[in-house]
């Protein structure tokens, strides 16, 4: 039973990739708070209601967020980050 549970768990990890290591501008990202090197990536909209009101679409940008898998500190990037592992 435990083995079955583990294989299901492993399958889900593989599917979602799980936390990984990332590079930004060629430099590996480490958590500024706890020095951990594994993160979960996500996207966050930078646009504001004000920008939308004035139709400043150029202001509507999305940022990459890397959330530290250990302490939860969220790192924001306005450029592409590369997953390296
Ligand atoms: Zn951390």
């Amino acid at each position: 039973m435990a083995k079955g549970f583990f294989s299901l768990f492993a399958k889900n990890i593989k599917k979602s990739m799980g936390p990984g290591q990332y590079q930004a501008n060629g430099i590996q990202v480490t958590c500024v708070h706890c020095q951990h090197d594994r993160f979960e990536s996500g996207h966050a909209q930078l646009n504001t209601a004000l920008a939308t009101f004035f139709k400043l679409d150029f202001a509507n940008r999305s940022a990459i967020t890397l959330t530290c898998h250990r302490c939860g500190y969220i790192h924001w990037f306005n450029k592409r980050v590369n997953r390296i592992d």
Side-chain angles (χ1 to χ4, degrees), residues 33-71:
H33 183 67
C34 74
Q35 311 300 312
H36 198 50
D37 62 356
R38 294 201 173 262
F39 302 87
E40 308 232 23
S41 68
H43 296 267
Q45 290 292 326
L46 292 177
N47 61 312
T48 64
L50 192 64
T52 302
F53 179 80
F54 288 108
K55 299 198 185 324
L56 300 174
D57 287 339
F58 64 87
N60 290 336
R61 308 181 64 172
S62 78
I64 307 295
T65 59
L66 294 181
T67 304
C68 176
H69 194 243
R70 184 157 68 183
C71 77

